[in-house]
Amino acid sequence: MTRAVFLDFYNTICYFEPSREVRQQACCRAFGIEVSLEALRRAYVYAETYWTLENAKESIGRRSPDARITFYCDYERRLLAWAGLEVTPEQARQVYQCYRNSASRLRLFDDVLPLLRGLRERGLIAGIISNTDREIAPLCEGLGLDGHVQVHLGSFEVGAEKPDPVIFREALRLASVNPNEAVHVGDQYYSDVVGARGVGITPLLLDRYSVCGQHTDCERIQDLSQVLDHLCT
């Protein structure tokens, strides 16, 4: 019986406006590089997996400033390669610096509050588990999630990032539930699906843009309204 539903934060319950794809496209155009939004969406699936695997080797946030810049520029080059573009290291650096300086704000997806209300009506615990370099509670407050989420946990506070089992086990402890009583929803296969499954939590892969079809070993959903449908099965 499910007693708690944990949700990833970025690109699961909230997004940046303008979106990362729009900002990437604009920065590419600033340097004479054309790329479609669809190509960038698909590229981010591979780029996020690369980020997760590299972060597991050595925390990106704890690397030296020079090492972080080197990683980010290489990440940018790989991202564009997955989008079908071959760029030089210098072009990747220019696009990355543009992207880093581009302005954006966090917005909730339209399906978030209906899901959280539905969980509350069913007496279920709602939680957030996020890889983030800052405290997650103020971000939740800024999005108007106070009173909707009982557990919010970020890697900044825990010192461990998904898919590390430490962060999932801490979420279970805070929610006072067993692994088989929890569901975790996220948009990244390795961080969210592999991580949750590793401690016995049921994972749901959120695939809003139908770009994760290669992952056939887990249940995929396209919007958060389907979480409630899953709980009824």
Side-chain angles (χ1 to χ4, degrees):
M1 177 181 175
T2 301
R3 295 178 53 215
V5 174
F6 299 123
L7 301 160
D8 174 48
F9 190 68
Y10 297 109
N11 302 309
T12 295
I13 68 167
C14 64
Y15 61 97
F16 287 103
E17 187 180 63
S19 71
R20 57 187 180 178
E21 293 87 3
V22 167
R23 289 154 60 208
Q24 279 283 352
Q25 185 185 61
C27 286
C28 284
R29 281 179 175 165
F31 296 98
I33 302 168
E34 287 296 327
V35 60
S36 72
L37 295 178
E38 181 61 27
L40 285 168
R41 286 193 189 98
R42 293 187 178 279
Y44 266 114
V45 175
Y46 299 101
E48 287 169 348
T49 296
Y50 172 71
W51 181 292
T52 299
L53 296 176
E54 282 295 305
N55 200 55
K57 296 176 184 176
E58 180 186 4
S59 173
I60 295 161
R62 295 186 179 90
R63 299 182 190 185
S64 70
D66 287 345
R68 285 200 301 272
I69 291 296
T70 298
F71 170 80
Y72 292 142
C73 292
D74 181 61
Y75 174 86
E76 182 70 43
R77 182 183 62 80
R78 290 172 182 266
L79 171 68
L80 295 180
W82 281 311
L85 301 170
E86 293 297 329
V87 299
T88 66
E90 176 60 18
Q91 286 175 311
R93 185 192 66 78
Q94 291 173 327
V95 174
Y96 162 70
Q97 290 290 355
C98 174
Y99 179 80
R100 182 182 181 184
N101 294 329
S102 60
S104 63
R105 59 186 292 184
L106 282 175
R107 296 275 198 181
L108 283 180
F109 284 104
D110 291 341
D111 53 9
V112 175
L113 290 179
L115 169 63
L116 295 177
R117 294 188 191 104
L119 295 178
R120 185 175 61 216
E121 289 169 0
R122 289 163 172 77
L124 301 178
I125 297 166
I128 292 173
I129 307 176
S130 175
N131 286 348
T132 178
D133 60 359
R134 66 196 69 186
E135 291 185 7
I136 197 71
L139 296 176
C140 292
E141 182 179 356
L143 289 168
L145 295 178
D146 283 2
H148 294 285
V149 177
Q150 292 75 51
V151 174
H152 33 67
L153 189 62
S155 56
F156 178 82
E157 295 97 331
V158 182
E161 300 182 346
K162 298 178 295 183
D164 194 312
V166 169
I167 191 168
F168 288 99
R169 288 173 181 153
E170 178 62 9
L172 291 169
R173 186 190 69 81
L174 291 174
S176 299
V177 298
N178 296 318
N180 62 351
E181 298 173 318
V183 170
H184 177 70
V185 185
D187 69 304
Q188 294 190 33
Y189 179 78
Y190 283 100
S191 293
D192 297 307
V193 174
V194 174
R197 186 180 283 157
V199 297
I201 296 174
T202 299
L204 292 177
L205 180 61
L206 179 62
D207 188 11
R208 289 188 182 275
Y209 306 107
S210 300
V211 293
C212 297
Q214 72 272 32
H215 299 302
T216 59
D217 64 334
C218 59
E219 183 169 351
R220 286 187 298 139
I221 58 174
Q222 288 193 296
D223 64 73
L224 294 181
S225 68
Q226 294 174 271
V227 175
L228 297 177
D229 295 337
H230 172 83
L231 298 180
C232 293
T233 60

